Amino acid sequence: MIQLLFLVLVAEAAVAAVLLFKTPLRKLAVLGIDRLKRGRRAPVAVKTVAGVVLALLASTLYSLAEISGRTGESESGGVALSPTDQILFSRHLLEASLMGYSLFLALIIDRLHQYIRELRGLKKNVEAVSKHNKMLEEAKHGRSEETKKYQEEIAALNEDMKKLKLQVQEKTEEVHVAEDKALAIRKQSESLLLEYDRLLEDNQHLREQLRSIDLRLSSS
């Protein structure tokens, strides 16, 4: 389970990194996400997977709460938490962290994809308005009778261009914010990998302690 979650987390981090930088891979990633969202059964499958992950996360958090409750009872009774409970607590905590980061990265990827699509649409609109503006300016010199009408249309189109440019600037700022969040998640995932290695060492140490305790009990 933990290995699978790590694979999912690494894959999501890779997709987020691809979406952050303007490369040919970004186009492929955007096309792949477009097809995933436009499929008939794809949205239902994605929602189902997200629901299963949320259910597993809730179950894991409930298990953590149970172990924490036993910890409080053990401290009040003067009995330390058993090594098995310590292992289970560490494992559930790691699983909950991985699932939480995975869901957050999925949300970041979805936002980045949406911002990229909106930016492309806005840029196409700006280019179309610019071409129309040039055509109107050329026609203005050819037809003196319609000069006033063309000037009004050009003024309106210029206002539309200003609005579209402001929208592009706002979306660009939102993309930068999303990119900063994605980079922060990548750094957190790297620290989480280090924490996973440490937990594996602790797990091995606790298992050795359990074996020694079992040997003592069996010898007595």
Side-chain angles (χ1 to χ4, degrees):
M1 180 67 177
I2 293 176
Q3 288 79 4
L4 178 61
L5 290 173
F6 263 108
L7 289 175
V8 173
L9 191 63
V10 170
E12 289 178 339
V15 174
V18 168
L19 293 175
L20 287 176
F21 304 102
K22 190 175 181 180
T23 60
L25 291 177
R26 174 192 271 188
K27 295 181 180 180
L28 294 176
V30 172
L31 288 175
I33 297 173
D34 285 340
R35 291 182 179 179
L36 182 63
K37 287 185 176 181
R38 291 177 182 175
R40 295 182 179 179
R41 299 181 180 179
V44 177
V46 171
K47 291 180 181 179
T48 303
V49 172
V52 171
V53 173
L54 285 174
L56 290 174
L57 180 59
S59 175
T60 304
L61 292 175
Y62 180 75
S63 300
L64 285 173
E66 281 189 341
I67 296 174
S68 298
R70 291 201 298 268
T71 303
E73 294 176 359
S74 300
E75 289 179 354
S76 61
V79 180
L81 190 66
S82 65
T84 302
D85 287 338
Q86 292 178 6
I87 295 174
L88 290 176
F89 186 85
S90 299
R91 183 180 181 84
H92 289 321
L93 181 61
L94 181 59
E95 289 178 350
S97 301
L98 290 174
M99 285 186 280
Y101 283 126
S102 177
L103 291 173
F104 185 75
L105 269 179
L107 179 62
I108 291 295
I109 292 171
D110 181 69
R111 293 295 92 190
L112 282 173
H113 174 257
Q114 184 175 352
Y115 292 150
I116 291 170
R117 285 184 56 82
E118 290 179 356
L119 280 173
R120 287 182 177 178
L122 290 173
K123 288 180 180 178
K124 289 181 180 179
N125 290 335
V126 170
E127 291 176 357
V129 170
S130 299
K131 291 180 180 179
H132 193 190
N133 193 5
K134 290 180 180 179
M135 291 174 63
L136 289 176
E137 288 180 351
E138 292 175 357
K140 179 184 68 173
H141 297 291
R143 296 181 181 181
S144 58
E145 295 179 357
E146 299 178 358
T147 300
K148 186 177 180 179
K149 180 181 178 181
Y150 287 149
Q151 287 178 347
E152 292 177 353
E153 291 181 359
I154 289 171
L157 289 171
N158 286 331
E159 291 294 329
D160 292 336
M161 283 184 63
K162 290 180 181 179
K163 293 179 182 179
L164 288 171
K165 287 180 179 179
L166 289 175
Q167 292 179 0
V168 169
Q169 186 177 0
E170 292 176 358
K171 295 300 180 181
T172 303
E173 291 176 357
E174 291 177 356
V175 169
H176 289 163
V177 172
E179 288 176 351
D180 293 337
K181 289 182 180 179
L183 289 174
I185 291 297
R186 287 183 61 191
K187 292 180 180 179
Q188 290 179 358
S189 62
E190 291 175 358
S191 63
L192 194 61
L193 289 173
L194 295 175
E195 181 65 17
Y196 175 65
D197 292 336
R198 187 186 66 79
L199 287 173
L200 287 177
E201 293 178 358
D202 293 341
N203 187 8
Q204 185 65 29
H205 182 67
L206 290 172
R207 287 182 178 178
E208 291 176 357
Q209 289 183 351
L210 286 173
R211 290 175 182 174
S212 62
I213 292 172
D214 291 336
L215 290 174
R216 291 178 183 175
L217 291 174
S218 61
S219 61
S220 61

